[in-house]
Amino acid sequence: MQNGNTAHIWKLLNTIPDPEIPAISIVELGVIRDVTFSDKSYTILITPTYSGCPAVKTFTDDIKECLKENGVRNFKLKLIYSPAWTTDWMTDKTKEKLRKYGIAPPSNTVRCPQCNSKNVEILSEFGATACKSMCRCSNCLEPFEFFKCI
Amino acid sequence: MNSLIQYTLRIADSSLILGQRMSQWCSNGPTLEEDIAMSNIALDLFGQANGFYEYAAQLDGSRSADELAFKRNEREFFNHQLSEQENGNFGTTTVRNFLHDAFNFLFYTELASSKDETLAALSAKSLKEVKYHLRHSSNWLIRLGDGTQESNMKVQESLNFLWQYTGELFEMDEIDNEMLDEGAGVDNNKLRKGWDEIINSTIEKAKLTRPVDGYMANGSKKGIHTEHLGFLLAEMQFLPRAYPDAKW
């Protein structure tokens, strides 16, 4: 366990759900930038989505708990700001998970996650979390959240 | 104190103080959406401030980011006087933030190519958020200015009043010049043109009149503030000062 198996660490991290959008993991969200091993210790580089996102504190604690529970004790977390987090890092698979969860994934064209209509209106650029805005579908009339592109 | 710490603190202080002002809107917004928007903006600003404070603390070596935010007095704060101005009505807040957001947008755009890697990274990060802030405050300025007679009158009054705090944004002192010479800081004078363009075009769309430059307040780079900062700090710093070991 303590021999520098970074793939194993990635696997463990991928089991940690995003505290605010549990449909995807923090790895899928793109906040884990790298996992390295040197001097008998892992370094996990993390980056915030938004500067003030309160989820950062939560997922930092979640990472510590998850690794300790799985017997990994020789690690440190490092917060980095460059390159700045971008929704471009999300894979199509992750975006599809968001859509199924009811959140319109980041895209230049906002589509209703329920009926796939492009006939939508943005109600507010700011939503329940820093990364989302509030929308309504003019076709099926359902309100939904849109994951902002940054 | 070395110039880099001082320079970093100035940026952090403006974000923190404007963030504190925005947080005062939480639960008092004119609509639920706006309440959420203003709280979100406050959170962004606190996050940006935290990044810069952490860097200042690391350079300083003796004080933590929390100590920098909560254990300094009024005369040791270097935020722009514009950022500490009271919220007033929703229009006053809109105008204050618009003037500040336009400056921040240009400032972070420039600082993102600083030779100081940390300042550059924090600026590139902040810039993404400030773009949203500027769009938000510009849209509201246009809606209010080009709204009813009363909303137009109110934002025009706020604009006339707050104008005196815009001169300071472009000032350069010895610290700014030293940072600029090292390729790490921004030439604030050069931001004036871009700022004028944003201000003029938005003011025109909002059917407002650009105030004539008159008396311009200054002094924040030396810790001189308007009366409002002391009250803001008293509220913001009360808990960590009264209960130094408090955890939450």
Side-chain angles (χ1 to χ4, degrees):
Chain A
M1 188 63 73
Q2 309 292 341
N3 57 359
N5 185 351
T6 54
H8 177 65
I9 302 295
W10 276 106
K11 215 169 156 184
L12 290 175
L13 295 174
N14 203 27
T15 64
I16 303 171
D18 177 305
E20 286 170 341
I21 310 166
I24 61 172
S25 80
I26 56 170
V27 172
E28 290 171 313
L29 184 67
V31 294
I32 309 293
R33 298 315 304 151
D34 205 0
V35 179
T36 57
F37 185 82
S38 67
D39 291 336
K40 295 179 185 168
S41 175
Y42 293 102
T43 302
I44 299 159
L45 297 182
I46 54 180
T47 196
T49 51
Y50 283 73
S51 309
C53 184
V56 175
K57 170 85 175 77
T58 312
F59 73 64
T60 305
D61 291 343
D62 291 346
I63 292 171
K64 289 178 190 163
E65 201 185 304
C66 168
L67 294 181
K68 280 177 188 160
E69 265 178 19
N70 286 280
V72 183
R73 298 193 185 276
N74 50 335
F75 66 91
K76 51 181 188 286
L77 302 176
K78 200 176 160 206
L79 190 65
I80 57 162
Y81 286 93
S82 183
W85 181 81
T86 166
T87 39
D88 295 345
W89 292 339
M90 268 186 208
T91 63
D92 287 345
K93 208 174 133 194
T94 305
K95 288 178 186 173
E96 182 54 22
K97 281 188 184 174
L98 283 177
R99 196 192 61 75
K100 279 191 180 148
Y101 188 66
I103 298 170
S107 159
N108 292 328
T109 324
V110 186
R111 283 176 180 274
C112 170
Q114 308 295 337
C115 72
N116 209 30
S117 169
K118 278 193 277 187
N119 188 12
V120 299
E121 56 175 331
I122 292 184
L123 301 177
S124 173
E125 294 219 44
F126 297 87
T129 65
C131 54
K132 290 176 288 181
S133 53
M134 291 189 272
C135 303
R136 180 169 52 213
C137 177
S138 306
N139 184 47
C140 72
L141 305 180
E142 283 293 320
F144 66 91
E145 291 182 304
F146 165 59
F147 208 111
K148 296 188 272 200
C149 299
I150 68 162
Chain B
M1 203 188 309
N2 87 36
S3 298
L4 179 56
I5 299 178
Q6 184 82 358
Y7 195 79
T8 308
L9 273 181
R10 287 175 181 174
I11 303 168
D13 287 348
S14 284
S15 298
L16 175 68
I17 300 304
L18 192 63
Q20 176 69 10
R21 280 287 181 229
M22 290 312 273
S23 75
Q24 290 169 343
W25 274 106
C26 185
S27 82
N28 296 309
T31 63
L32 182 60
E33 286 80 0
E34 240 351 86
D35 202 292
I36 291 169
M38 287 193 282
S39 303
N40 262 297
I41 292 169
L43 210 53
D44 284 345
L45 290 164
F46 288 146
Q48 292 164 14
N50 188 51
F52 286 101
Y53 280 132
E54 288 289 352
Y55 185 42
Q58 184 197 322
L59 295 166
D60 181 80
S62 60
R63 289 172 295 178
S64 70
D66 274 352
E67 281 168 341
L68 288 170
F70 296 118
K71 302 277 172 72
R72 281 180 303 144
N73 294 327
E74 189 186 354
R75 289 293 302 268
E76 298 162 294
F77 266 79
F78 308 106
N79 57 287
H80 294 127
Q81 290 182 7
L82 180 62
S83 64
E84 74 207 28
Q85 296 309 306
E86 291 184 303
N87 285 336
N89 59 48
F90 180 66
T92 316
T93 292
T94 299
V95 173
R96 180 197 61 208
N97 284 31
F98 167 66
L99 297 171
H100 211 275
D101 295 344
F103 174 81
N104 263 352
F105 168 70
L106 299 161
F107 179 79
Y108 285 132
T109 304
E110 284 297 310
L111 197 61
S113 48
S114 167
K115 275 188 186 163
D116 184 291
E117 282 179 14
T118 309
L119 287 183
L122 290 168
S123 299
K125 179 85 200 157
S126 303
L127 183 60
K128 289 190 171 202
E129 296 157 2
V130 168
K131 280 181 188 167
Y132 268 97
H133 302 173
L134 178 60
R135 198 154 68 220
H136 180 254
S137 57
S138 307
N139 285 343
W140 270 112
L141 191 73
I142 294 166
R143 277 170 81 173
L144 294 171
D146 191 13
T148 65
Q149 209 175 1
E150 190 180 348
S151 69
N152 175 284
M153 185 192 76
K154 283 188 172 175
V155 283
Q156 184 67 58
E157 274 177 6
S158 301
L159 189 60
N160 296 347
F161 171 72
L162 291 168
W163 198 250
Q164 63 187 305
Y165 300 108
T166 59
E168 177 180 71
L169 301 173
F170 306 98
E171 278 183 0
M172 294 289 283
D173 72 351
E174 62 277 15
I175 289 168
D176 293 305
N177 285 322
E178 192 187 322
M179 290 291 289
L180 180 63
D181 289 345
E182 288 167 11
V186 173
D187 186 350
N188 297 330
N189 289 312
K190 276 199 184 155
L191 305 178
R192 171 71 85 168
K193 193 167 163 277
W195 189 80
D196 278 339
E197 281 168 14
I198 297 173
I199 301 300
N200 291 346
S201 68
T202 313
I203 280 183
E204 196 189 324
K205 278 186 218 153
K207 303 208 164 91
L208 295 164
T209 312
R210 182 181 162 122
V212 177
D213 284 0
Y215 166 76
M216 287 291 177
N218 72 352
S220 72
K221 287 180 197 287
K222 298 268 177 278
I224 308 290
H225 293 280
T226 59
E227 65 183 297
H228 309 299
L229 183 67
F231 292 101
L232 182 150
L233 293 181
E235 186 183 53
M236 185 182 80
Q237 298 182 331
F238 169 77
L239 200 134
R241 283 191 187 247
Y243 305 95
D245 301 319
K247 297 239 182 295
W248 63 89

